[in-house]
Amino acid sequence: MATRKNSTDDPLAPLTLAVGQEDLLLDRAVREVVAAARAADPDTDVRDLTPDQLQPGTLAELTSPSLFAERKVVVVRNAQDLSADTIKDVKAYLDAPAEEITLVLLHAGGAKGKGLLDAARKAGAREVACPKMTKAGDRLAFVRGEFRTLGRSATPEACQNLVDAIGSDLRELASAAAQLCADVEGTIDAAVVGRYYTGRAEASSFEVADRAVEGRAAEALEALRWSLGTGVAPVLITSALAQAVRAIGKLASAPRGARPGDLARDLGMPPWKIDRVRQQMRGWSADGVAQALRAVAEADAGVKGGGDDPEYALEKAVVAVSRAARPHR
C-alpha cells in the first residue's frame, strides 16, 4: 500500500511526490490530493499532464497568479521523462512555489530523472511511496490494508485465498475486496472468498495441466508463466497436473467400450470430463503415466519447500508431462 516517507501529511502541501511504478497507488495519490483540494474549494482547477504536454514555459503559465486567486492542482505524470529544459522549469518553480497551487509529481523512482527527484525531496516534498508489489507477501499486506480501510474484518485465510485467486493485479484485488465488503455482512472468511473467487485460480491451474497432458509444451509453459505472474499458488498447479495425469491413468485402465455414464460413476468424474480425457489420452502409455506422476511428485516437493526454485521445478514438471504425452496432432 502507499506509504508516506516524511512527517508532512497534508495533501494540500505545495508539493506531493509520488514515487514508484504501481499504477493503482499512483492514481490514489493523485485522487487524494484532488479530493482535498476540492473539499477546500469545489471550483479547483485540475490539470493532469504527461511529459509531452508539459513543454518549456508551460509550468510557468499554469502557475502564474490569477485574478480570481483560484486553487489549482497540477499533476505531472512520468516526471522522469521530462525534457531537460522542462526539468529546469520545474526546479525553478520548486524554489518559489505559488500559493493556492499544489504540484503533484509522479516519478518512477529509478536512475532516470534522479536530479528532479532529489530536487523535489530537497524542497521538502510530501512523499508517497508507490512501489510495485512483486512479492506475494506485499500483496497479502495490501489486501489486509484494504479491508482495514473499508472498516471490515477478514480472516488471514480469507486474505490469502483472495491473493491466490485474483493474482498480482492490485486494481482487481482492491475491487474484489470492495465487492466482498459490499455483499457480505460480518467477518469475511475463507468460505466466502471461495464462493466468490477461488474458481479463477483453479481455472488457471487446470489450463496449464490441460495443455501439458495434451503434449503442448510451449502452450503449457506460456500458461504456467501467466499463472505464476498473476499470483496463482504453485501448489494449485502441481495439484492440477497430478489430477490430469491420474485421470488419464484411470481412464486408460478402464474397460473398453464402457459407456461414459458408467465410467463417470466408476471413476468419479463428470461425463463431460470423460470425453475430454479421452481426447487427451491419445499417445499416452502406462510408462508415460508413471513417468509423469514421478515428475509431478518431484515438483510438488520442490514447491513445498524441498527445492530452492519452485518456478523451475514447475517448468521441469510441465516439460516432463508434455514429453510423456508424446504430442499428437
Side-chain angles (χ1 to χ4, degrees):
M1 66 197 71
T3 56
R4 289 173 182 81
K5 297 179 66 176
N6 64 16
S7 60
T8 301
D9 197 27
D10 181 7
L12 295 182
L15 174 62
T16 287
L17 179 64
V19 184
Q21 300 179 44
E22 187 57 67
D23 289 340
L24 173 65
L25 302 184
L26 292 167
D27 286 345
R28 284 184 173 181
V30 172
R31 287 202 301 270
E32 183 182 21
V33 172
V34 171
R38 286 184 168 157
D41 179 356
D43 295 326
T44 295
D45 181 20
V46 178
R47 302 297 180 93
D48 197 324
L49 307 170
T50 56
D52 62 305
Q53 294 173 314
L54 193 65
Q55 299 297 320
T58 303
L59 184 61
E61 180 181 342
L62 290 174
T63 58
S64 60
S66 168
L67 291 176
F68 303 101
E70 64 180 358
R71 182 177 291 277
K72 186 177 294 185
V73 175
V74 178
V75 180
V76 180
R77 297 183 182 272
N78 299 311
Q80 71 280 355
D81 295 330
L82 292 172
S83 69
D85 288 338
T86 303
I87 287 176
K88 289 180 182 178
D89 286 354
V90 176
K91 288 181 177 180
Y93 175 80
L94 296 179
D95 290 334
E99 292 185 7
E100 300 298 313
I101 291 179
T102 298
L103 176 63
V104 184
L105 297 178
L106 276 56
H107 195 291
K112 187 176 183 181
K114 189 174 184 300
L116 177 58
L117 191 62
D118 293 341
R121 286 170 172 160
K122 186 177 179 180
R126 165 185 177 265
E127 185 169 345
V128 182
C130 305
K132 199 74 174 175
M133 295 189 183
T134 58
K135 297 180 180 178
D138 293 337
R139 294 191 290 272
L140 182 59
F142 172 80
V143 168
R144 289 171 177 163
E146 287 296 291
F147 284 122
R148 283 196 300 270
T149 300
L150 293 167
R152 298 296 299 278
S153 176
T155 66
E157 294 79 9
C159 294
Q160 183 64 63
N161 288 356
L162 192 61
V163 172
D164 289 343
I166 299 298
S168 60
D169 190 311
L170 289 201
R171 291 187 190 279
E172 291 197 22
L173 284 169
S175 176
Q179 186 68 53
L180 288 168
C181 289
D183 291 354
V184 179
E185 296 182 356
T187 299
I188 296 165
D189 58 21
V192 169
V193 174
R195 288 200 303 271
Y196 274 73
Y197 298 108
T198 299
R200 293 182 54 165
E202 292 175 347
S204 177
S205 301
F206 288 129
E207 175 74 12
V208 176
D210 284 342
R211 299 293 81 78
V213 298
E214 291 165 3
R216 302 177 183 179
E219 294 177 31
L221 288 171
E222 182 180 358
L224 171 65
R225 291 173 189 129
W226 185 89
S227 298
L228 293 174
T230 56
V232 174
V235 292
L236 290 178
I237 298 173
T238 54
S239 176
L241 285 168
Q243 289 182 51
V245 176
R246 289 194 191 107
I248 287 172
K250 286 180 180 180
L251 193 56
S253 60
R256 292 181 178 275
R259 293 181 301 177
D262 295 334
L263 288 172
R265 183 185 64 251
D266 295 341
L267 301 180
M269 300 181 194
W272 64 264
K273 189 168 184 179
I274 296 292
D275 293 336
R276 172 178 288 181
V277 175
R278 273 180 168 165
Q279 295 176 358
Q280 293 173 334
M281 65 183 287
R282 290 177 298 181
W284 279 89
S285 66
D287 287 343
V289 171
Q291 291 170 13
L293 287 175
R294 283 196 295 272
V296 174
E298 290 177 4
D300 191 55
V303 302
K304 290 179 178 177
D308 296 329
D309 191 341
E311 184 173 337
Y312 178 63
L314 285 170
E315 289 181 354
K316 281 182 61 179
V318 165
V319 171
V321 171
S322 299
R323 287 177 177 171
R326 294 208 301 268
H328 50 272
R329 301 294 180 187

